[in-house]
Structure formats: structure tokens, C-alpha cells
Amino acid sequence: MEKVTPFLMFQDGKAEEAMNYYISIIDDSKITSIVRYGANETGDEGTVMQATFSLKGQEFMCIDSNLKHSFSFTPSFSIFVTCDTEEELDNLYEKLMSDGQALMPLGDYGFSKKFGWLNDRFGVSWQLNLPK
């Protein structure tokens, strides 16, 4: 086994938009590769056939699904972010909440200084934590 990589499947051609958004709000992040569908291939031309991106050194893979599925992302799998400061946590939470949905609003739940859990506008679930 070479490695284990989280994999995100986007629908409606949102993979590249999501990657660009994530790398714009998290420092030390970048898109590392993109392969797009070409003319006469199984996906919509120009959408993401396969891409990789890195958030603070954690690599992710993603695609734009060329098939419509009856499922999407679920909060049972989330991206857990350990923040260094309350300002960093608040800023990231605010940006990810833009057109998103709070699952656990920012607060003190007893297990950390501050915590928030949300689904972003793409449906991806995030847990943001400021340890004690």
C-alpha cells in the first residue's frame, strides 16, 4: 500500500470551484494536479476528471462525477481542522459558513476551548477545533 488519500466526489461540475475556494481560505494550500475531460469523453468537457490538492500538507483527490447519484456528502465524514488561534477559527468558520449550514454552531462544548461543525456550500462537512 502506497498511501491513503481522502477522495471527494462533486456533482454539477463544482470540483474546481471547491478546490479554488479551499486553497484561497487555508494558508499553505495548493492545487497539485488537474486532468479535465476533453471533447467526446465520458464527462462534460472541461470538468475535472481527476485532481489533487493539498490543504496544510494533507492531500485530497477529487472529481466531478459525470453520473448523477442519489447521494452526496454526509457529515459522518468530515474534515477536522485544528486551529492555532480563536481568530483563525472564527475567520475560517465564517468563510466556510457562507451559504453553508451550521451543524454545531461555534461554542464551548466542554472538550475544547471553541468548536464548530458545519457543512459548506458544496456540502462538505468541516469540524473546526481550538484545543484547550
Side-chain angles (χ1 to χ4, degrees):
M1 183 180 305
E2 185 178 319
K3 64 181 173 178
V4 177
T5 306
F7 185 92
L8 303 172
M9 181 189 71
F10 293 89
Q11 298 193 48
D12 301 322
K14 298 289 187 185
E16 189 166 5
E17 180 183 346
M19 287 188 298
N20 282 319
Y21 185 65
Y22 300 151
I23 68 168
S24 77
I25 64 172
I26 298 177
D27 291 338
D28 302 322
S29 301
K30 62 185 174 184
I31 296 173
T32 51
S33 71
I34 299 178
V35 176
R36 292 181 177 83
Y37 286 104
N40 304 315
E41 292 186 321
T42 58
D44 293 337
E45 185 174 359
T47 61
V48 175
M49 180 187 296
Q50 182 179 343
T52 57
F53 63 103
S54 172
L55 302 177
K56 286 283 191 190
Q58 173 62 57
E59 186 178 60
F60 293 82
M61 292 179 70
C62 69
I63 63 168
D64 281 316
S65 177
N66 60 333
L67 301 173
K68 296 297 178 200
H69 298 279
S70 61
F71 57 86
S72 186
F73 298 111
T74 170
S76 66
F77 180 86
S78 59
I79 300 171
F80 191 94
V81 179
T82 302
C83 296
D84 292 328
T85 66
E86 187 170 358
E87 180 183 11
E88 180 182 51
L89 185 143
D90 291 343
N91 186 39
L92 189 55
Y93 187 89
E94 180 183 331
K95 289 176 179 175
L96 289 168
M97 268 299 293
S98 176
D99 296 324
Q101 173 193 17
L103 301 175
M104 291 176 74
L106 284 178
D108 179 352
Y109 294 94
F111 51 82
S112 66
K113 285 183 184 176
K114 197 169 191 179
F115 178 83
W117 194 343
L118 61 99
N119 288 340
D120 70 19
R121 66 182 180 215
F122 303 103
V124 175
S125 185
W126 296 78
Q127 294 185 62
L128 308 178
N129 187 53
L130 182 63
K132 290 189 175 203

